[in-house]
Amino acid sequence: MQRTTPAALLASEPFDESKSRERILDRKFAVNWKTAAAGAVGIALIVGSLLWLRRDETDFSQIPMANQLPPESVAAPRLVGVGVNAERTEINPREVLNLSLKAQYVDGTQNEIKEGVEWASSDPGVATVDADGRVTAHQAGRTRISGQYNGLVSPEWTLVVKAPEPVAQPPVAAKLVALAVSADKRELRIKEKTSLRVKAKYSDGSEKGLSNGIAWQSSDMTIPSISPRGELEAFRAGTVQVVARTGGINSAPLNVVVKERTLQPPVQNADAPSNISPSKPAGENMKIASYLNRAKDYRVQGNYGAALAELEKARATEPSNQEIRKEIEQTKRACSAEKRLGRPGLEC
């Protein structure tokens, strides 16, 4: 097959000037378009290079990221535990103590919660707690307090309410409970004197002598007189009961016997005959006198048993002696009188 070349075509075809001009214009347009495209690509490469060289100066913080959220949308840390917070663990009755609830978060932070807490006391009789965490103590004891917040319950916190301090009482003065009267001599002669003494006994068991503020009473004021200081003087013979009174308390009566004064025997002449029976030895008379004197001393002391024992010795020496018999009767009467008045341990 014969191939036709462009030159042959041109040679074979008749020459058309208008068509030739159109072809020339088409070739120029194609060349210009390619040149413009190449220039645009070059400009883009130059701009890209400049931007790459200045990448470190760009503030990317101002460029919003697709996964960046506003601050208010960040979730708060999760609450993991609560506990009771207080300044003290011991208070007094009627004292008030404020509590708060300490919150612990998953990120380790803590804070105090004072509102929205549900408080509870295991023993309201000891202490109660209100909605604001205010504890009021009522009586001595222990109670366990817990707080609840957002479904979390704190461990129980123990509060001790102390017992009130005892009020110091002033010392109580001992009370007078009894009086006892004693005398130097309980058997006197007319015009003879003796001193009375008073011993006071108190509720605390103590005892002491009293000398002032005593009121004296006698069953027969014609027999003795008694001064405010307790000095007794015998006026006439007889037996009298003496009582001391003070502070509304009366003593047990004290028996005092007053006898007639003994007359002194007349002084006898040495040549006068003696009244002592010649049949009685002088030694026996001295022995009887000794028994009588000791018996009288014992009776004055209130020791009637010893006095009667001495008188029995004297009567055994001289059974018919009337003075001895009289002393025995007086001693027994005095002993019986004191026994009736309540003196214990008397043997008559």
Side-chain angles (χ1 to χ4, degrees), residues 239-319:
T239 300
V240 67
Q241 294 179 348
V242 177
V243 174
R245 179 178 177 83
T246 186
I249 302 295
N250 289 342
S251 70
L254 175 72
N255 285 342
V256 177
V257 178
V258 179
K259 292 184 176 183
E260 297 287 349
R261 293 178 61 87
T262 57
L263 298 177
Q264 297 292 334
V267 179
Q268 296 181 353
N269 193 337
D271 297 331
S274 175
N275 291 331
I276 300 176
S277 174
S279 62
K280 186 186 297 182
E284 290 186 5
N285 288 333
M286 295 179 62
K287 186 182 294 186
I288 292 172
S290 177
Y291 290 148
L292 289 174
N293 290 333
R294 285 199 295 270
K296 291 178 181 179
D297 290 339
Y298 284 134
R299 186 171 59 188
V300 170
Q301 297 170 11
N303 191 349
Y304 297 108
L308 289 172
E310 294 296 327
L311 291 174
E312 290 297 331
K313 293 178 183 178
R315 186 166 60 176
T317 302
E318 190 177 350

Side-chain angles (χ1 to χ4, degrees), residues 174-175 177 200-208:
K175 185 179 179 182
V177 294
K201 185 176 181 179
Y202 295 90
S203 57
D204 60 357
S206 61
E207 295 181 354
K208 71 174 182 178

Side-chain angles (χ1 to χ4, degrees), residues 16-33:
D16 190 347
E17 185 178 356
S18 59
K19 290 183 179 181
S20 176
R21 189 178 293 112
E22 289 177 1
R23 290 189 185 98
I24 293 171
L25 291 174
D26 288 341
R27 290 191 185 99
K28 288 183 178 180
F29 178 77
V31 172
N32 291 337
W33 180 84

